[in-house]
Amino acid sequence: MTFKELNLKEEILSAIGELGFEFPMPVQEKVIPFMLENNTDLVALAQTGTGKTAAFGLPILNMIDPYQKQVQALVLAPTRELCIQISNDLKNFSKFLKTRIVPVYGGEDIRTQLKQLDTTPQIIVATPGRLIDLIERGKIKLESIRFLVLDEADEMLNMGFKEDIETILATTPDTRRTTLFSATMPAEIARIAKKYMKEYTEITVGTKNSGSDNVSHIFYVSQAKQRYLVLKRIVDLNPDIYGIVFCRTRQETKEVADHLMRDGYNADALHGDLSQAQRDTVMQKFRIRNLQLLVATDVAARGLDVSDLTHVINYNLPDDVESYTHRSGRTGRANKKGVSVSVIHSKEKFKIKDIERILGKKIEHQQKPNCQ
Ligand code: AMP
């Protein structure tokens, strides 16, 4: 299938052509025709990095009236980084259209955003808390919304946005079309879908909860005191590595990052003890690949929207399988190959079995690289 066959406007085809999109990704093949041809709600189960933004963004941009000066579409996302990312993607897709897109998110001076909203945009991309603030100030009106997208709905719930989301859903018109994206389908999402969405279609891309097929999963068994050496060897064996090293605690994150830096590797740490400005700096350096290795906790890495990682390294296995799939979903994106490596203690082999069962994939046991 080609993008042309999807009946998108010429302006959109030109813009995505410039971005180098040749063929629609699976989620796009399913979601774009659905949104263009049906008038019903949609729940799409898809991992991050599968091309979701274009999947909902292109049909919405196709249907928005750029000459009607009202907010016609609202996209809700869990973090400011994702918000900015989605907004930038939509701006790129609509380069040849006259659609105005404004991102609003917490953690930034509200005055800048208030100013941007002086001219009504057709699309708002928002984190839930800041959006409610702006609605309460009377700066954003959602009465004319035609499309509502909940992106990474499971993450939004994980981050405690449940009530905010329900408030927002209750303030938008019933005539809106709702599209919900989630990597997983916890009971709470099913409840929200049932309560706030009209009869909806469910689309699953890939196996539920499973990682992308482009990711190979491997593990090494190591004694705790050799763990760092194994990590070093993994990095040495992959000089072009661009990856995240996931640790369990802030303390461990700091220690591993310090150790790597002392040993001359291009690494830095991302954890909750850093100020927002420090986190932004580290994330930006990593995004532009000035950093090869980011050592992070799950929570700190949540806000980071980076695709194209060559490796995800589980310096410690996470406590739950969902975090494992989230972590490894950060590699193998956009049809590139990726590796998810875990360094485990022999006592943790049962955890690998659990992950394999839910992932529906084998995690290959490899001989520990020589650490002498
Ligand atoms: P997303 O899941 O929306 O974050 O997309 C993941 C990555 O895939 C982004 O870097 C997109 O720019 C890229 N992408 C999305 N759709 C396509 C496509 N059809 N062809 C090539 N790259 C794409």
Side-chain angles (χ1 to χ4, degrees):
M1 191 185 265
T2 60
F3 276 108
K4 230 183 163 69
E5 289 167 61
L6 292 173
N7 291 326
L8 293 163
K9 289 181 179 168
E10 276 305 323
E11 291 92 332
I12 294 179
L13 291 175
S14 305
I16 58 175
E18 282 191 7
L19 293 172
F21 292 13
E22 286 179 41
F23 302 100
M25 290 165 83
V27 69
Q28 296 160 359
E29 279 191 1
K30 288 188 176 176
V31 172
I32 296 174
F34 179 89
M35 290 189 71
L36 289 176
E37 290 158 23
N38 295 278
N39 211 2
T40 45
D41 289 352
L42 175 68
V43 170
L45 290 178
Q47 305 279 319
T48 45
T50 48
K52 284 180 300 150
T53 318
F56 66 76
L58 301 182
I60 287 179
L61 285 168
N62 209 74
M63 293 185 279
I64 291 266
D65 178 357
Y67 298 100
Q68 190 190 347
K69 302 280 178 254
Q70 281 177 316
V71 184
Q72 296 167 50
L74 169 68
V75 181
L76 286 181
T79 62
R80 56 181 243 142
E81 285 76 16
L82 188 58
C83 214
I84 295 169
Q85 173 87 36
I86 294 172
S87 163
N88 287 341
D89 284 352
L90 296 181
K91 285 178 187 168
N92 287 333
F93 302 154
S94 61
K95 186 175 164 195
F96 301 115
L97 294 168
K98 289 202 171 341
T99 312
R100 187 170 157 76
I101 300 149
V102 171
V104 297
Y105 43 85
E108 200 195 70
D109 193 339
I110 200 162
R111 282 170 297 189
T112 324
Q113 295 173 5
L114 285 168
K115 219 178 164 72
Q116 286 193 315
L117 291 165
D118 280 344
T119 312
T120 308
Q122 280 92 13
I123 304 181
I124 288 179
V125 186
T127 51
R130 180 54 62 96
L131 179 69
I132 290 187
D133 192 346
L134 288 160
I135 293 173
E136 281 169 357
R137 287 168 188 249
K139 198 67 192 177
I140 291 182
K141 296 200 169 42
L142 298 177
E143 288 91 53
S144 48
I145 293 284
R146 292 165 60 203
F147 306 101
L148 173 66
V149 178
L150 302 169
D151 195 16
E152 303 209 350
D154 48 355
E155 273 305 306
M156 288 202 276
L157 292 188
N158 285 343
M159 295 179 71
F161 284 133
K162 182 170 154 266
E163 277 179 21
D164 286 351
I165 292 173
E166 298 208 33
T167 307
I168 294 163
L169 283 165
T171 30
T172 52
D174 288 343
T175 47
R176 65 162 197 265
R177 279 177 63 188
T178 312
T179 304
L180 183 152
F181 282 88
S182 193
T184 57
M185 193 66 185
E188 195 53 32
I189 299 267
R191 192 192 68 76
I192 288 186
K194 207 163 164 230
K195 184 164 172 199
Y196 293 100
M197 292 172 71
K198 294 180 279 288
E199 205 172 317
Y200 62 86
T201 300
E202 195 175 306
I203 290 179
T204 303
V205 183
T207 333
K208 276 185 199 180
N209 289 340
S210 98
S212 139
D213 275 347
N214 293 323
V215 184
S216 43
H217 299 262
I218 59 176
F219 74 95
Y220 298 113
V221 177
S222 159
Q223 289 169 341
K225 58 177 189 294
Q226 290 238 310
R227 207 179 276 266
Y228 177 74
L229 289 176
V230 176
L231 169 65
K232 253 177 65 151
R233 289 296 289 144
I234 296 169
V235 179
D236 289 343
L237 289 169
N238 297 283
D240 293 327
I241 195 166
Y242 175 55
I244 302 184
V245 181
F246 282 99
C247 292
R248 209 192 275 275
T249 61
R250 291 173 190 191
Q251 188 56 32
E252 188 178 61
T253 306
K254 283 184 213 168
E255 281 168 14
V256 172
D258 284 347
H259 214 147
L260 284 169
M261 286 188 268
R262 244 183 292 137
D263 288 342
Y265 294 93
N266 182 11
D268 210 338
L270 187 68
H271 53 74
D273 283 350
L274 303 175
S275 67
Q276 180 71 47
Q278 287 171 315
R279 278 206 297 269
D280 283 347
T281 309
V282 175
M283 287 200 252
Q284 183 56 12
K285 271 173 72 184
F286 188 58
R287 234 179 249 127
I288 61 171
R289 295 189 179 225
N290 260 356
L291 266 184
Q292 267 187 290
L293 288 169
L294 185 73
V295 189
T297 55
D298 287 295
V299 177
R302 224 175 249 166
L304 179 71
D305 198 66
V306 169
S307 54
D308 288 356
L309 293 184
T310 61
H311 287 71
V312 163
I313 301 177
N314 299 292
Y315 192 73
N316 260 307
L317 279 178
D319 288 327
D320 55 301
V321 180
E322 216 161 275
S323 301
Y324 180 90
T325 29
H326 252 113
R327 289 179 180 184
S328 46
R330 291 180 174 273
T331 183
R333 289 182 177 197
N335 292 327
K336 294 211 174 74
K337 296 267 176 244
V339 189
S340 174
V341 195
S342 304
V343 188
I344 68 159
H345 193 271
S346 57
K347 285 190 204 140
E348 291 180 306
K349 279 191 186 154
F350 74 96
K351 289 192 187 169
I352 293 284
K353 288 268 166 283
D354 280 349
I355 297 173
E356 282 180 333
R357 209 178 48 240
I358 294 175
L359 196 66
K361 272 179 122 176
K362 181 106 191 105
I363 304 183
E364 194 191 332
H365 182 184
Q366 288 198 353
Q367 281 313 309
K368 198 169 60 176
N370 189 351
C371 294
Q372 301 318 310

